[in-house]
Amino acid sequence: MELLFLGTGAGIPAKLRNVTSMALKLLDERGSVWLFDCGEATQHQILHTSLKPRRIEKIFITHLHGDHIYGLPGLLSSRSFQGGDSEVEVFGPKGIELYLKTSLSISGSYLKYPLKITEIEEGVVFDDGQFRVEALLLDHGITSYGYRITEADRPGTLLAGKLEEAGIPPGPIYKKIKSGEKVTLENGSILDPSDYLGPRQKGRIVAILGDTRYCENAIRLAKDADLLVHEATFAAGEEAMAHEYFHSTTAQAAGVAIKAGAKKLCLTHISSRYDRHASRELLEEARGFFESTDLAEDFKEIVLPLHQP
Ligand code: ZN
């Protein structure tokens, strides 16, 4: 599992930072990629990476401001010509369906694959047993969601030696135990899988938030997360301006990470008023509040290693 930043700027594209998009690479986990937001020229950014558009399985939109969605119709259209024939599901606030259907239909775009559009509300928006995605409302003037992606725990490794010691020869019983099933033997005794499995491997948690002011739901979404991606449109000390424009400062993003007990924070949605040097200062400033902070850059990738059992 890796998170690849495709655009990390605020509002308008700049030479250093394109508008918002990021790809959660789940290639080892499910052979696919999930996009979060799709600002203009996201498909051009993808050309500079090893991402395959046909691998895009789901797209989660945080909110409908242009710098988060203007790249969507183009990316979806091009995917038809890039070998994409599997379904794509787009999740987003109310309005995303009208936006997509209108732009695709009046441009005469025909997709060679099924497109499913789900307008979300707060709560669990996706759960297939392997991953669960929950959304909560943030505070951004228009409807803006944050997403919490939780990977299911993996069962512990089978303690085959212990089963053999108990006189159980390898066979279908091992498979049942491995999948966590209780097994009743012919003699009536019951095998409890927890006795024959190593410790469970905890799943990873990533919180990816849309634009927002400092708010309680951000803390809920990021609770104990391995990684929190939070906007930091302004420097610490600019809280009044952040409030006025429904954005956050570095200090506020760090405050969310601390209160949530997140392990790592990555700041994104950086205003173009901060050049390379000034954005280093933003990072140093945030690290003063929360040590484990990183600053997103276009094409930067954060690896989320498996937890040790
Ligand atoms: Zn916005």
Side-chain angles (χ1 to χ4, degrees):
M1 186 192 281
E2 300 92 24
L3 185 69
L4 172 63
F5 288 92
L6 296 167
T8 58
I12 56 165
K15 279 187 188 164
L16 212 54
R17 298 178 184 277
N18 195 45
V19 282
T20 299
S21 182
M22 62 203 96
L24 185 63
K25 293 163 71 178
L26 302 171
L27 296 168
D28 291 341
E29 293 77 10
R30 55 197 290 133
S32 69
V33 170
W34 291 1
L35 279 191
F36 288 81
D37 286 339
C38 190
E40 191 176 348
T42 294
Q43 60 168 324
H44 302 63
Q45 296 289 86
I46 287 176
L47 293 175
H48 300 290
T49 72
S50 61
L51 283 187
K52 301 276 174 288
R54 62 184 162 80
R55 294 273 189 200
I56 297 171
E57 180 203 1
K58 300 190 187 299
I59 303 174
F60 297 87
I61 299 297
T62 62
H63 67 296
L64 301 182
H65 277 155
D67 58 321
H68 294 252
I69 62 165
Y70 283 167
L72 200 44
L75 177 133
L76 291 173
S77 301
S78 299
R79 185 177 181 271
S80 276
F81 302 99
Q82 293 161 324
D85 50 19
S86 56
E87 181 185 90
V88 171
E89 184 167 14
V90 178
F91 299 84
K94 190 168 167 41
I96 189 73
E97 182 164 20
L98 178 65
Y99 165 66
L100 274 180
K101 287 197 166 158
T102 307
S103 47
L104 291 172
S105 83
I106 65 173
S107 60
S109 304
Y110 170 74
L111 305 184
K112 294 179 189 160
Y113 57 88
L115 177 68
K116 189 174 169 192
I117 305 169
T118 303
E119 295 193 332
I120 63 165
E121 289 177 356
E122 283 190 301
V124 176
V125 299
F126 173 75
D127 188 353
D128 68 351
Q130 186 192 20
F131 284 96
R132 185 178 72 238
V133 182
E134 294 162 88
L136 286 178
L137 281 168
L138 303 171
D139 184 7
H140 188 49
I142 68 164
T143 301
S144 180
Y145 287 102
Y147 292 104
R148 176 183 174 89
I149 305 100
T150 307
E151 182 186 32
D153 294 348
R154 297 171 190 221
T157 47
L158 187 73
L159 306 175
K162 206 172 164 189
L163 278 167
E164 275 175 51
E165 266 171 41
I168 321 268
I173 292 178
Y174 279 40
K175 205 177 163 198
K176 285 186 180 169
I177 296 280
K178 173 100 182 97
S179 66
E181 231 179 283
K182 272 191 184 167
V183 177
T184 309
L185 298 176
E186 277 175 19
N187 65 12
S189 63
I190 294 170
L191 297 180
D192 187 336
S194 63
D195 295 336
Y196 299 98
L197 291 173
R200 289 176 77 78
Q201 193 170 27
K202 254 197 87 44
R204 291 157 287 186
I205 301 171
V206 184
I208 298 176
L209 275 47
D211 295 3
T212 188
R213 283 175 177 163
Y214 180 85
C215 69
E216 289 297 318
N217 274 353
I219 299 166
R220 287 188 193 106
L221 288 163
K223 186 90 189 113
D224 299 326
D226 295 283
L227 174 65
L228 162 64
V229 179
H230 197 297
E231 71 130 290
T233 312
F234 296 105
E238 306 270 25
E239 279 72 25
M241 185 137 73
H243 186 84
E244 188 182 335
Y245 291 102
F246 292 92
H247 284 296
S248 299
T249 67
T250 55
Q252 290 172 323
V256 170
I258 293 165
K259 284 202 170 168
K263 293 180 189 73
K264 191 184 178 86
L265 166 68
C266 189
L267 304 174
T268 188
H269 205 266
I270 308 300
S271 165
S272 58
R273 56 151 82 185
Y274 304 107
D275 61 13
R276 208 182 284 275
H277 176 73
S279 57
R280 283 303 301 180
E281 286 176 2
L282 286 183
L283 176 60
E284 290 313 316
E285 166 181 287
R287 282 185 176 160
F289 301 107
F290 183 68
E291 176 62 34
S292 184
T293 302
D294 230 328
L295 183 74
E297 307 285 353
D298 288 19
F299 308 119
K300 182 190 183 96
E301 189 166 282
I302 295 181
V303 178
L304 288 139
L306 284 167
H307 290 297
Q308 292 309 314

